[in-house]
Structures are given as C-alpha cells and as structure tokens.
Amino acid sequence: MNSGNKQIAVIGAGVAGLLAAVHAAELGADVHLFEKMDRIGLKMGITGKGRCNLTNSAPIGEFIAKTPGNGKFLYSAYGRFSNTDLLALLRRWGMETVTERGGRVFPKSEDAQEVRRLFMRKLEEAGVTLHLSDPVHHILTEDGRAAGVETSRGTWAADAVILATGGKSYPRTGSTGDGYRMAAELGHTVTALRPALIPLVCSNAYCRELQGLSLRNVTLTVAAGGRRKASLLGEMIFTHFGISGPIVLSLSDQVSLWLSQGYAVTGEINLKPALSEEVLDRRILRDLAKFHLKQMRNALQELMPHRLIDVILHMSDIPPELPVSELTRRQRANLRYAVQHMPLSITNTRPIEEAIVTAGGISVKEIQSSTMESKLVAGLYFAGEVMDIHAFTGGYNLQAAFSTGWVAAESAAGQGGTYR
Ligand SMILES: Cc1cc2nc3c(=O)[nH]c(=O)nc-3n(C[C@H](O)[C@H](O)[C@H](O)COP(=O)(O)OP(=O)(O)OC[C@H]3O[C@@H](n4cnc5c(N)ncnc54)[C@H](O)[C@@H]3O)c2cc1C
C-alpha cells in the first residue's frame, strides 16, 4: 500500500463511503474501502421502496429547511456538491434519472440495484481496493492524527481516514452504529441517538381495528405539554401498532424528541381539514337527508371510508343501528366533532432499528463543515448519517450522504480541503 500517493482508508461502503472512495481515487489517492458486509450498499438497495430516491430537485434552501437535524451545517457541502452536481455526475456516468411528484429524483430504471451496480463499476474503474466482509474495529492515530484502521484481518496504515459507517437503523444492512463507538474512542461527542422517520405506536384500540386503511388529504396534529404542536396535511395509514405513512414519518422526528424529553404526546386526525365546522355540518345534513330511511351505519359512506364509519359512530356515542331520523342535534354535533378530531394517544415510536434515519450522532460542533474534517483528530473525516444530521423523506438524506462524502474525499485527498 505505498505508491507515493495519498493513502486513504474509507470505512463503510454505503452511500457516503462509496462516493467518497470513488472520488478520492479519481483525485489520485490510493483508496482502500472497508465494508463489514459481504456486499456494498445494502441500505442503498432498499431505499425509496427499492427505487432509490436519489435526491430532490428543490433549491438548496429547501434542502436545509427539510433537514431538521443540523441542516445549516450542510450549507457548505451543498455549495461544493449540490443536487444538480449529483445529477450531472450520474449523467456522465451513464445513468438516466426521472423527477417525480414533490421533486423526488429516481433512476429512470426505478431500480435501486442499478445504483449499486453503477458504484461497483465505478469502484473498479477508479482503482479502489475493496475489502468486503472486513469490519473496522478501531481508527488508529499517531501524534494526534489519523494513521490507519484496525480491522478483523489486521491493521492498515493510511494518511487519512473517512468514517462513513451510517446510522443505527436497519442493522441487517450493516448499519449497526459502529462508527459512533470508534469516534467516541477518539474523544468525539456522540449526541443522543433516537429514531427519526419512524412509525408511531398508539394505545387506541381502533388503530388496530383499522389496520391497513390509508387516508389521503387528512391533517394529523401532534401535541405535547399543551403548547408544543405540529401539524401536517397528507397521507397516512393505520397499522397493527398505531400509525405510519408519509405525514406520520415527517412528524415523527418531533414526536420522538418530545417523548425523549418525557412529554406525554397526543394526536388528532382531521378527516375533513378543508371544511369549516359549518360547511361540514351542512354536508352531514345533506347526507342524512339523502339516506333518511337508513340506519346511521349506512348513511355515512359518502362522507368517509366504509371501515371508518363504526369507529367514528362509536366516538360520537351514536349506536350504528340508530335510524337516521332519530339522530339528535347533540349526536350530530358529536359526529361533526369526531370527524375533525379523531383522538390519538401516542405512547412511543417504533424501535430505532426500524427507523428510516437515525437522529443524533457525531456532534457537528466537532466537525469542520467546509471540509468534513474532525476538529479533534487531524486527517479524520466524516461523511453521511454517522454525523448528527438527519432530514425528511424526499431524497434529502441521500443527498446529504453524497455531498458530505464528496467533500470528505476532496479534503482527504488534499484537493480544496485543509489537508495537513
Ligand atoms: C428503508 C429505508 C429507505 C430509505 N429510503 C431513502 C430514500 O429513498 N432517499 C433518501 O434520501 N434516504 C433514504 N433512506 C435513508 C438513507 O438510506 C440513509 O440516510 C443513507 O443510506 C445514509 O448513508 P451512509 O452512507 O451514511 O450510511 P449507509 O448507507 O447506512 O452505509 C453505511 C455502511 O457502513 C458499513 N459499516 C458499518 N459499520 C462498519 C464497520 N465497522 N466496518 C466497515 N463497514 C461498516 C455498513 O455495512 C454500511 O454498508 C432510507 C433508509 C431506509 C432504512
């Protein structure tokens, strides 16, 4: 391993590590990429439900806004390698992409495996030495700077080390959180780890009854301690344990934080967020008039999905068999209220292993945002989810991994960074 070129060890052949390894090698470094699994990019292969939502077409300001976990720290990395840079690179590499609703960008093949194969080819072309099934246990230092890695097969000397071991979720993909320990051994602070983009556990029995039912154009509001509140309009689904789906995942970061702070968290679903109380009342009266010879159970199918009717009637204290003609004004008010305020008692998130992304990680205060270099250990660089960064769904997490991987590679290879 000694050609006179810079020797770089990259730990983790995930999204960030793969781009970092290829780019550092293209810049002339001798790169050794260590991966604990027997294949590269296992998590990449399951992203975007197997379609790989590579990035988003939104402007960079939107990326920062969609990154509740230290978005501003990424400004500099996005300035150096943005979503348009990524798309231009993929085009040069021969991969076509398509942009879908919400600016989400996917490979045209809609196959995440194509992205893995592309990186496999680029590793070979760039001359990266790939060490599969070779977990790194420790980062070696000498005189306060990174000097190599210790793996299960021995030690490797290097001028620079890029730590790209990912978060702690979906451990079967290899992301088991090893990087946190390795960084902590060198004095880095690891902020509290918790799941983000995670389904929520609710104690309400009706969630289980409605399991599999998805709702569109509803508002979910979550609240803690009276004053803390957040709300989103969109799609969600009931599950055997509670709730999931896009708006649930997006609100889950907030909920996970409140729960970790010890707050009791409640939620509310508004099935008709576009209607004022008066308009909803008129709508209900119209339906009741139309179905005036029926029982209540059979009078609401135009207002809500069939499976919801009994649940909403129960919440409104209305027997499902009640003839429509016997509904009291009070019961109608109850019904109106239940449609716009379905209560949820949120007791927990699903475990971190099931999270799309890990909140928390290596403190960004100890990382140079323009180079991704450690402020504590010279020659040590970080890339991807191992850092305390996390974003919403929409391609923002992959772009964060790509951008930080790119910058770490340039800095470690001594191009545009502060390589010492
Ligand atoms: C189901 C799912 C779907 C997702 N979909 C999307 C999506 O469509 N778009 C999006 O933007 N984000 C998505 N994400 C999030 C995204 O996948 C991650 O944020 C991203 O993969 C982080 O990249 P990374 O390189 O930091 O870590 P990873 O991709 O997790 O890679 C880390 C690598 O390091 C290796 N490793 C760990 N420890 C060691 C060790 N000790 N030695 C050697 N190697 C080690 C691991 O095996 C792994 O290969 C999804 C996540 C999940 C779980």
Side-chain angles (χ1 to χ4, degrees):
M1 179 164 171
N2 225 332
S3 57
N5 297 336
K6 289 245 160 72
Q7 306 292 318
I8 299 179
V10 180
I11 313 174
V15 180
L18 285 167
L19 186 58
V22 171
H23 191 43
E26 283 176 342
L27 292 172
D30 276 351
V31 181
H32 286 252
L33 173 57
F34 297 89
E35 168 55 50
K36 74 193 278 187
M37 306 303 276
D38 61 1
R39 271 164 293 171
I40 65 163
L42 275 179
K43 188 174 275 180
M44 181 193 262
I46 58 166
T47 53
K49 299 196 171 116
R51 297 169 64 221
C52 191
N53 181 189
L54 290 159
T55 184
N56 199 285
S57 62
I60 291 307
E62 186 75 5
F63 273 73
I64 307 297
K66 291 278 170 62
T67 307
N70 291 309
K72 287 189 182 142
F73 170 79
L74 295 170
Y75 255 122
S76 179
Y78 288 150
R80 290 270 289 285
F81 189 75
S82 66
N83 49 350
T84 49
D85 294 326
L86 174 67
L87 295 181
L89 179 77
L90 292 174
R91 237 188 339 268
R92 275 204 307 281
W93 286 0
M95 174 177 277
E96 289 187 70
T97 56
V98 285
T99 306
E100 295 190 358
R101 196 168 49 93
R104 292 163 191 255
V105 181
F106 295 87
K108 198 168 176 200
S109 63
E110 302 200 1
D111 183 4
Q113 303 308 325
E114 189 200 350
V115 191
R116 289 180 63 217
R117 285 194 296 273
L118 175 65
F119 271 101
M120 200 60 212
R121 178 161 63 77
K122 295 313 289 185
L123 289 177
E124 277 170 30
E125 285 174 11
V128 172
T129 309
L130 180 59
H131 302 248
L132 289 174
S133 306
D134 197 359
V136 173
H137 300 309
H138 305 283
I139 296 166
L140 306 173
T141 57
E142 240 173 63
D143 302 328
R145 59 165 304 129
V149 295
E150 183 190 318
T151 83
S152 42
R153 295 188 198 150
T155 59
W156 284 86
D159 302 312
V161 174
I162 299 175
L163 182 65
T165 44
K168 209 172 156 39
S169 75
Y170 280 71
R172 67 189 156 83
T173 64
S175 314
T176 49
D178 297 2
Y180 303 129
R181 179 190 46 75
M182 287 190 254
E185 280 175 357
L186 300 179
H188 272 281
T189 308
V190 178
T191 61
L193 304 176
R194 54 184 179 80
L197 298 181
I198 182 85
L200 300 175
V201 180
C202 303
S203 59
N204 314 73
Y206 77 79
C207 291
R208 180 184 277 269
E209 279 170 44
L210 294 176
Q211 152 174 199
L213 176 70
S214 61
L215 303 173
R216 280 165 182 261
N217 296 320
V218 297
T219 302
L220 173 64
T221 303
V222 290
R227 292 197 3 243
R228 290 159 193 79
K229 222 174 195 184
S231 203
L232 275 180
L233 171 77
E235 201 175 327
M236 59 174 282
I237 185 167
F238 293 103
T239 67
H240 65 284
F241 54 78
I243 51 174
S244 188
I247 56 174
V248 174
L249 296 183
S250 293
L251 287 170
S252 67
D253 182 34
Q254 196 59 70
V255 171
S256 148
L257 182 67
W258 288 335
L259 289 169
S260 73
Q261 292 168 342
Y263 288 104
V265 182
T266 55
E268 213 171 72
I269 303 167
N270 184 343
L271 297 172
K272 297 288 170 196
L275 305 187
S276 68
E277 230 179 84
E278 295 71 38
V279 175
L280 176 60
D281 198 41
R282 282 206 296 277
R283 170 72 207 274
I284 291 173
L285 281 171
R286 207 178 65 210
D287 285 11
L288 296 180
K290 185 170 174 185
F291 298 109
H292 68 284
L293 296 176
K294 305 235 175 198
Q295 295 180 342
M296 282 306 292
R297 171 179 282 152
N298 299 318
L300 300 175
Q301 66 268 30
E302 290 183 7
L303 188 65
M304 65 186 79
H306 183 72
R307 288 181 64 196
L308 265 180
I309 295 175
D310 273 11
V311 171
I312 290 287
L313 287 175
H314 179 73
M315 284 173 188
S316 322
D317 237 350
I318 300 171
E321 310 75 33
L322 186 77
V324 168
S325 56
E326 290 177 24
L327 189 77
T328 66
R329 183 182 283 267
R330 171 102 221 116
Q331 284 171 318
R332 197 176 85 234
N334 287 352
L335 173 62
R336 197 177 57 224
Y337 187 85
V339 167
Q340 295 195 308
H341 303 270
M342 280 182 84
L344 288 166
S345 174
I346 300 166
T347 53
N348 212 339
T349 63
R350 292 292 287 175
I352 194 163
E353 288 74 17
E354 293 176 27
I356 301 290
V357 53
T358 304
I362 298 168
S363 171
V364 296
K365 291 188 189 138
E366 297 164 357
I367 304 168
Q368 210 67 258
S369 64
S370 55
T371 59
M372 296 298 139
E373 188 173 17
S374 161
K375 290 181 183 172
L376 311 184
V377 181
L380 172 62
Y381 300 83
F382 302 104
E385 205 181 310
V386 73
M387 295 185 282
D388 182 5
I389 51 171
H390 66 277
F392 290 147
T393 56
Y396 302 106
N397 285 299
L398 284 188
Q399 181 66 50
F402 284 129
S403 294
T404 53
W406 183 271
V407 171
E410 290 199 336
S411 315
Q415 309 265 331
T418 57
Y419 191 81
R420 285 166 280 184

